[in-house]
Amino acid sequence: MGIIEKMKEIEEEMARTQKNKATEYHLGTLKAKLAKYRAQLLEPTSKSSGGGTGFDVQKSGDARVALIGFPSVGKSTLLSKCTHTQSEAAAYEFTTLTAIPGVIEYQGARIQLLDLPGIVEGASEGRGRGRQVVSTAKTADLILVMLDATKSDEQRRLLEIELDAVGIRLNKRRPDVVFKRKTTGGITLNMTVKLTKTDEKTIRSILASYKLHNCDVMVREDITTDEFIDVLIGTRKYMPCLYVFNKVDSISLEQVDKLAHQDHTVVISCELGLNLDYLISRIWDNLGLVKVYTKKRGDHPDLNDPVCLRRGATIEDVCIHIHRSLVPNFRYALVWGKSSKFNPHAQKVGLNHQLQDEDVVSIFTK
């Protein structure tokens, strides 16, 4: 029996089993088995992979955004409208057969936008080059899920299932659970909160199914069985996501208003170029980038070429971004802007000083 058949068998058994307090333990064990089989399915069967075109697109710019969706929802048209790259668009499905990169230039930042081939139901099991699509999506900093506004909500649910099956968690944060392996001493399980969605017996059974008999586990929030399995596997990717509904020019204003008020949602029309500027500003907000301007001694700040970094970046990150040799030779830095204690005047700071958006930095070396 192959892995896919075993997975279907477990899924059927889970569907047959009623969810209540008495079956929690059994369902937890089944979920752990299913997660193990999914991990096996995603791992390459051999070291050498022959034939086929891979999606080996070099990461460039300050951030990467991946476009994911079913065929013919407007991904290629969006790429062509937002960037200077022309991606083939046509009225038939599967026009795009490989990953096509483009660059969005916004507020001095260069954001790489990847147009990925349309995925089909069963992509997580390898159908329609699905594994390559989702593996490339894992390298992105933000996922744009493109949806057709003229179709039902089922398309969104199916895409979420496919991404969830390959370990991509959309708009979620990592569960607050500390897990450490050890060589002896058995299992030490500590919980700082009352568990209402799972129990200690289920957690111990999951640990046993992964052959983990010596480890320390500290649970700091009320987690589910699935979230605990995610922590054990450790390869889950927690990613921000925007749901982009295209073709809103083909539906009523009431439907547009309803879609626009959903969480993490943007409504656009690629054909008419509606709301594309707002979409780019939402992409910027979700990426959580900050712009830092550099200043040479005696000169004005260079406002045309900012250094774009992640929110919470420090002076050390700026030094590494400019040149690695700056860190060992660093003396001090002067900072003007929101993060300066003496704003609008400069503050003398060290490598660990956290920067804010539109700060001006002047670095002094030995």
Side-chain angles (χ1 to χ4, degrees), residues 143-212:
I143 287 182
L144 289 190
V145 173
M146 283 284 284
L147 301 163
D148 190 335
T150 61
K151 293 180 180 173
S152 68
D153 284 343
E154 183 69 7
Q155 54 176 338
R156 175 172 169 169
R157 193 185 68 82
L158 289 170
L159 280 169
E160 284 173 344
I161 289 168
E162 294 300 330
L163 293 172
D164 198 78
V166 294
I168 295 175
R169 303 289 179 260
L170 301 177
N171 296 323
K172 290 180 183 175
R173 58 177 182 79
R174 191 183 182 280
D176 193 0
V177 177
V178 179
F179 168 71
K180 286 181 184 174
R181 295 171 189 264
K182 55 186 183 181
T183 50
T184 55
I187 295 170
T188 308
L189 192 55
N190 293 311
M191 283 159 284
T192 58
V193 292
K194 188 183 177 184
L195 298 180
T196 59
K197 300 164 188 169
T198 187
D199 56 26
E200 189 176 331
K201 187 183 175 187
T202 307
I203 288 172
R204 287 184 182 276
S205 75
I206 292 166
L207 288 168
S209 69
Y210 279 92
K211 295 178 182 173
L212 294 164

Side-chain angles (χ1 to χ4, degrees), residues 5-22:
E5 286 78 18
K6 286 178 183 175
M7 284 169 63
K8 280 181 181 166
E9 203 174 81
I10 292 169
E11 283 167 352
E12 283 167 11
E13 191 176 341
M14 284 170 68
R16 283 197 304 269
T17 308
Q18 284 189 335
K19 286 182 184 178
N20 55 50
K21 204 76 182 167

Side-chain angles (χ1 to χ4, degrees), residues 62-286:
D62 301 302
R64 172 181 273 190
V65 177
L67 274 170
I68 284 185
F70 287 120
S72 293
V73 290
K75 298 187 296 298
S76 300
T77 312
L78 180 66
L79 182 80
S80 303
K81 293 265 185 180
C82 294
T83 70
H84 300 299
T85 306
Q86 288 301 311
S87 181
E88 191 183 345
Y92 54 86
E93 295 188 344
F94 299 108
T95 317
T96 306
L97 299 173
T98 188
I100 299 167
V103 175
I104 300 171
E105 292 182 357
Y106 183 75
Q107 294 192 12
R110 289 170 60 81
I111 301 164
Q112 187 182 48
L113 186 64
L114 268 187
D115 176 19
L116 296 172
I119 64 173
V120 294
E121 202 175 338
S124 57
E125 295 168 4
R127 286 186 63 202
R129 305 190 78 184
R131 283 188 217 170
Q132 284 172 294
V133 174
V134 290
S135 296
T136 309
K138 275 188 173 182
T139 65
D141 302 297
L142 170 71
I143 287 182
L144 289 190
V145 173
M146 283 284 284
L147 301 163
D148 190 335
T150 61
K151 293 180 180 173
S152 68
D153 284 343
E154 183 69 7
Q155 54 176 338
R156 175 172 169 169
R157 193 185 68 82
L158 289 170
L159 280 169
E160 284 173 344
I161 289 168
E162 294 300 330
L163 293 172
D164 198 78
V166 294
I168 295 175
R169 303 289 179 260
L170 301 177
N171 296 323
K172 290 180 183 175
R173 58 177 182 79
R174 191 183 182 280
D176 193 0
V177 177
V178 179
F179 168 71
K180 286 181 184 174
R181 295 171 189 264
K182 55 186 183 181
T183 50
T184 55
I187 295 170
T188 308
L189 192 55
N190 293 311
M191 283 159 284
T192 58
V193 292
K194 188 183 177 184
L195 298 180
T196 59
K197 300 164 188 169
T198 187
D199 56 26
E200 189 176 331
K201 187 183 175 187
T202 307
I203 288 172
R204 287 184 182 276
S205 75
I206 292 166
L207 288 168
S209 69
Y210 279 92
K211 295 178 182 173
L212 294 164
H213 306 296
N214 297 291
C215 59
D216 289 331
V217 179
M218 179 174 275
V219 183
R220 292 173 177 162
E221 68 171 297
D222 189 11
I223 56 165
T224 62
T225 306
D226 292 321
E227 285 171 340
F228 183 68
I229 292 166
D230 286 350
V231 171
L232 287 189
I233 292 170
T235 55
R236 300 301 188 230
K237 198 94 195 288
Y238 297 88
M239 304 182 73
C241 168
L242 274 178
Y243 297 97
V244 182
F245 284 91
N246 187 24
K247 307 179 185 178
V248 292
D249 51 307
S250 304
I251 58 173
S252 66
L253 278 171
E254 289 80 6
Q255 287 174 295
V256 173
D257 188 58
K258 187 183 172 185
L259 290 174
H261 281 85
Q262 292 179 14
D263 288 338
H264 311 290
T265 299
V266 181
V267 291
I268 63 164
S269 170
C270 290
E271 194 68 34
L272 301 178
L274 294 174
N275 222 21
L276 297 182
D277 290 340
Y278 176 65
L279 171 63
I280 293 169
S281 71
R282 283 289 298 272
I283 288 171
W284 173 263
D285 293 340
N286 277 265

